[in-house]
Amino acid sequence: MSSLAQEESRSISENVTWGKRKSMADGRISLPWSNFLGYKKGKDGLPVIVPEEAAIVRTIYRLYMEGKSYAAIARHLTAEGIPSPTGKPTWALATIRSILTNETHRGSKRMQKTHVTNYLTKSKKKNEGELPSYYIEASHEPIIPPDEWDAVQVEIERRKKLGRPVSCQSPFSMRIKCGDCGAFFGSKVWSSNTKYRRIIWRCNDRYNKRGKRDCKTSHVQEDDVKEKFLTAFTRLMENRDSVLEDCRNAQKLLCDTTAVDAEIETLEREVELVEGLARQAIQNNAREVIDQSEWTERNGIYLNRHAEATKRLAELDRQKVERIGRSQTLSVFIRDLVGRDQLLTEFDESLWAVVIDCVVVGLDGRLTFKFKNGMGIEV
């Protein structure tokens, strides 16, 4: 009876799995409607925007592009008394991260991101190519415009590349760099309880542990950075057509992955061949009498070939990810420049986040604005 029950469970699981995959292949969208922020299920089965929840999603994206970290956004929403998607009073960092990276909010949907590995235990794992994944572009009305969503993904990758946790509270966090020692600038408040209150930024490594000043760069005022950014951006836009052409050429030359893909394909065949030879050698050693020193030497050659090919594959995968990320960065940069007026009259935090890579403060107080297309403009 136990065996029959298990077989029945397997049969039901296979039928349900087939039905879901057929639905995915047909382009039907499925969401965890009960706790998905921003959408509800419509009459036709497609997501319909819930205005009150969509406003929360837009706030999360806006705060992130203003420089806030996952933790800072979670604290803000908790302090405002806004319940999480599951109805809890406290927001978790994972929830903020999920909302910021979920393509559903840009009007698209990727299905079968995970799959069940065991129909009895119902254990799940991330789909890493074991099963087909379905991506539907422009499947429903977006809450976040696609170009804004792409800009957020670029910013997420930028913060990851810093190689350490970033507690961002400002759009200038981890953006202003010291021209003397290379460290990032941090914010300080001067005369906080007076009418002369102002925010300044200075090198985080300005003083060593003994209190001695090591770094010779001076501090910069936040308002001064904003004003000089307007000047730098205006200079950039004076040659907008030339800048856009250079960006598109850079995408073609520096971000192309054709050669990398070809080498990856060759190495994957090499790995498959070596694994086959190694398995054959093990089987021969089990069936026949073979000189063990000779077998060990030959097996060592296979292992070395496999290790070298695997190492090179990892390096190529990293190069491919970098090139795709660079291409995406340039795409967002190009799209924002095309849609902007040449004259910028006031500081725009979202524009700053999209176009600026970093600002280098020189010893003489000059600021060099390094844009994401590789250009540097000194003010």
Side-chain angles (χ1 to χ4, degrees):
M1 292 298 293
S2 177
S3 298
L4 289 172
Q6 183 171 322
E7 179 63 20
E8 179 66 13
S9 178
R10 184 192 64 79
S11 177
I12 293 173
S13 176
E14 288 181 352
N15 290 336
V16 170
T17 300
W18 181 88
K20 287 186 176 181
R21 289 177 186 165
K22 181 66 169 61
S23 178
M24 293 176 190
D26 292 341
R28 297 192 187 96
I29 295 175
S30 177
L31 289 174
W33 303 106
S34 60
N35 56 9
F36 194 91
L37 192 67
Y39 290 105
K40 65 179 180 180
K41 188 174 183 179
K43 294 180 180 179
D44 54 359
L46 291 175
V48 175
I49 292 177
V50 180
E52 299 80 8
E53 296 180 0
I56 300 172
V57 174
R58 295 188 185 101
T59 298
I60 291 172
Y61 276 77
R62 175 179 58 79
L63 291 174
Y64 190 80
M65 291 305 286
E66 287 176 0
K68 300 293 190 294
S69 63
Y70 297 146
I73 297 172
R75 287 195 297 268
H76 172 82
L77 296 175
T78 301
E80 291 291 319
I82 300 172
S84 71
T86 56
K88 296 179 180 178
T90 304
W91 285 73
L93 270 65
T95 304
I96 302 297
R97 185 187 301 111
S98 175
I99 291 173
L100 287 170
T101 56
N102 197 316
E103 75 288 339
T104 306
H105 294 115
R106 78 187 294 278
S108 304
K109 182 59 182 171
R110 181 177 296 281
M111 293 180 289
Q112 197 152 278
K113 298 177 184 177
T114 61
H115 63 96
V116 176
T117 58
N118 189 304
Y119 68 92
L120 292 175
T121 62
K122 307 300 181 185
S123 57
K124 290 184 178 181
K125 75 175 293 291
K126 184 179 179 181
N127 184 8
E128 298 176 322
E130 299 93 342
L131 295 171
S133 179
Y134 304 92
Y135 189 84
I136 306 174
E137 184 72 39
S139 58
H140 55 278
E141 184 181 359
I143 293 175
I144 305 298
D147 56 345
E148 184 179 334
W149 189 90
D150 291 342
V152 169
Q153 308 317 302
V154 171
E155 174 64 9
I156 290 173
E157 289 302 315
R158 184 193 75 85
R159 296 189 192 183
K160 283 183 181 178
K161 288 180 181 178
L162 294 174
R164 54 177 172 167
V166 183
S167 180
C168 295
Q169 300 293 334
S170 163
F172 300 114
S173 296
M174 312 303 287
R175 295 274 190 179
I176 306 176
K177 295 182 72 173
C178 177
D180 187 16
C181 66
F184 285 102
F185 273 42
S187 62
K188 311 292 178 185
V189 179
W190 282 2
S191 306
S192 58
N193 296 323
T194 70
K195 64 179 180 179
Y196 302 105
R197 184 183 188 276
R198 57 178 174 165
I199 299 175
I200 64 101
W201 291 75
R202 73 181 186 194
C203 179
N204 286 327
D205 292 348
R206 187 177 190 180
Y207 299 101
N208 60 25
K209 293 181 179 179
R210 298 179 181 177
K212 182 180 178 181
R213 180 173 176 177
D214 284 341
C215 185
K216 298 179 177 59
T217 52
S218 61
H219 68 271
V220 294
Q221 296 187 40
E222 193 165 291
D223 291 339
D224 193 35
V225 175
K226 293 179 179 179
E227 182 181 343
K228 290 184 177 180
F229 168 69
L230 298 181
T231 302
F233 187 76
T234 300
R235 290 184 190 173
L236 178 74
M237 295 294 280
E238 288 173 357
N239 301 307
R240 178 167 61 179
D241 293 340
S242 175
V243 170
L244 291 174
E245 183 180 357
D246 290 342
C247 289
R248 294 186 178 105
N249 290 334
Q251 274 189 307
K252 294 177 181 177
L253 297 174
L254 304 178
C255 305
D256 182 51
T257 62
T258 304
V260 175
D261 288 335
E263 188 174 352
I264 287 175
E265 186 178 351
T266 301
L267 285 171
E268 286 176 342
R269 287 198 299 266
E270 167 76 3
V271 169
E272 186 177 353
L273 173 63
V274 171
E275 288 176 347
L277 291 172
R279 284 194 300 270
Q280 184 64 42
I282 292 171
Q283 291 172 1
N284 291 340
N285 190 41
R287 290 195 304 263
E288 305 171 9
V289 178
I290 299 177
D291 181 82
Q292 291 304 296
S293 60
E294 181 183 340
W295 182 87
T296 301
E297 181 181 355
R298 185 168 66 250
N299 190 56
I301 293 173
Y302 294 151
L303 291 175
N304 288 335
R305 284 176 62 183
H306 188 277
E308 289 174 3
T310 303
K311 182 179 178 181
R312 179 59 179 163
L313 269 175
E315 173 65 19
L316 289 171
D317 284 337
R318 184 187 62 79
Q319 289 181 19
K320 184 175 180 179
V321 169
E322 286 182 354
R323 293 189 182 192
I324 292 173
R326 180 63 175 164
S327 179
Q328 186 181 27
T329 299
L330 287 173
S331 294
V332 174
F333 182 86
I334 291 169
R335 198 160 50 228
D336 214 85
L337 253 62
V338 169
R340 289 278 174 175
D341 294 330
Q342 289 194 338
L343 182 62
L344 192 66
T345 57
E346 60 181 12
F347 182 76
D348 187 331
E349 291 184 346
S350 61
L351 175 66
W352 164 275
V354 168
V355 302
I356 288 293
D357 183 48
C358 69
V359 180
V360 179
V361 181
L363 294 174
D364 57 357
R366 292 177 181 268
L367 304 184
T368 302
F369 293 84
K370 294 190 175 182
F371 293 87
K372 288 188 177 179
N373 66 334
M375 287 185 62
I377 297 180
E378 187 181 87
V379 180

